[in-house]
């Protein structure tokens, strides 16, 4: 939810002892850096329980911490869910100290998969955070558990295809009980074999 910084107690946001956004000496600051472009009269911060404390906007721009995001459309910029945002041109994923566009994601038809916060999709791609799942079919794709998912042709762990697995053999229970380290070793071995070939 957007909240005007000037209306918050002490004109600041914080989590624990860390002060994120604040107004001091007639200017906007993020942590200990002055945001020269930011307008203190119109600056709003995005506040959620457990939110990052990094996103703000004023009448002209969107900010991620001390970075002015000049290429983001201020008028169409909105929060979708969790760490995900969009404007009229792109879908963005917030990661640590950046807000990055998700390659080829179409903001008009993009869909957040609510049961799987790392995953999203549009009509052409399925994404794990901002990376597309290789060869994934959005129409048949579904989340299984944690970082496991599948479509009609492949089983995935994150953005990696688990080689030689039949999607028909995979369900939520199998994904819950599968040894992740074994899967990672299997993927690494297949990649090493491909490289050596």
């Amino acid at each position: 939810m957007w909240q005007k910084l000037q209306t918050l107690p002490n004109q600041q946001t914080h989590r624990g002892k860390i002060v994120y956004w604040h107004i001091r000496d007639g200017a906007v600051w993020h942590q200990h850096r002055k945001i020269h472009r930011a307008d203190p009269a119109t600056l709003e911060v995005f506040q959620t329980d457990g939110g990052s404390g990094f996103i703000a906007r004023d009448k002209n721009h969107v900010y991620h911490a001390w970075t002015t995001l000049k290429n983001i459309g201020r008028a169409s910029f909105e929060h979708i869910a969790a760490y995900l945002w969009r404007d009229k041109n792109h879908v963005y994923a917030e990661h640590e100290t950046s807000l990055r566009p998700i390659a080829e994601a179409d903001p008009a038809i993009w869909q957040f998969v609510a049961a799987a916060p790392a995953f999203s999709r549009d009509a052409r791609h399925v994404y794990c955070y901002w990376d597309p799942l290789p060869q994934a079919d959005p129409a048949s794709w579904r989340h299984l558990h944690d970082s496991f998912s599948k479509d009609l042709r492949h089983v995935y762990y994150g953005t990696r295809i688990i080689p030689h697995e039949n999607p028909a053999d995979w369900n939520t229970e199998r994904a819950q009980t599968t040894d992740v380290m074994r899967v990672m070793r299997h993927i690494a071995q297949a990649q090493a074999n491909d490289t050596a070939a």
Side-chain angles (χ1 to χ4, degrees):
M1 149 171 87
W2 293 104
Q3 293 182 305
K4 199 166 185 180
L5 187 58
Q6 284 187 333
T7 65
L8 296 175
N10 298 322
Q11 298 184 335
Q12 66 180 351
T13 64
H14 59 87
R15 187 177 319 139
K17 294 182 180 182
I18 300 173
V19 175
Y20 287 99
W21 294 97
H22 62 283
I23 296 174
R24 187 175 80 216
D25 302 327
V28 175
W29 297 71
H30 186 274
Q31 295 179 346
H32 301 292
R33 289 177 128 171
K34 186 175 182 179
I35 313 302
H36 295 281
R37 291 179 182 266
D39 175 31
T42 62
L43 192 98
E44 299 174 306
V45 293
F46 192 79
Q47 296 275 83
T48 61
D49 291 338
S52 72
F54 287 96
I55 301 289
R57 68 183 183 188
D58 65 12
K59 64 182 180 179
N60 299 312
H61 301 289
V62 175
Y63 305 90
H64 188 274
W66 41 82
T67 303
T68 303
L69 304 173
K70 299 176 193 171
N71 295 327
I72 290 182
R74 162 60 180 90
S76 61
F77 183 69
E78 65 178 344
H79 183 243
I80 303 169
Y83 60 90
L84 297 163
W85 302 79
R86 73 175 156 207
D87 65 9
K88 65 181 181 177
N89 298 314
H90 299 285
V91 176
Y92 303 89
E94 185 179 6
H95 180 68
E96 297 174 354
T97 61
S98 66
L99 190 69
R100 298 196 280 184
I102 299 174
E104 300 181 30
D106 184 339
I109 57 176
W110 181 90
Q111 180 182 46
F112 176 66
V113 182
F119 293 100
S120 58
R121 67 178 159 204
D122 60 23
R124 296 171 296 170
H125 303 284
V126 178
Y127 305 90
C128 183
Y129 295 102
W130 49 80
D131 294 321
L133 274 63
Q135 304 171 32
D137 170 37
S140 64
W141 178 89
R142 71 182 187 97
H143 177 246
L144 296 171
H145 173 72
D146 190 30
S147 294
F148 289 99
S149 66
K150 71 175 185 176
D151 64 11
L152 288 177
R153 297 172 296 160
H154 304 288
V155 178
Y156 297 90
Y157 183 75
T159 58
R160 297 181 177 175
I161 296 171
I162 303 173
H164 315 296
E165 291 291 339
N166 182 354
D169 296 337
W170 280 77
N171 57 24
T172 300
E173 183 179 344
R174 180 169 178 191
Q176 289 172 331
T177 59
T178 295
D179 179 357
V180 172
M181 292 309 295
R182 183 190 66 77
V183 168
M184 295 305 291
R185 284 192 300 270
H186 184 58
I187 291 170
Q189 185 60 51
Q191 288 175 336
N193 292 344
D194 288 347
T195 302

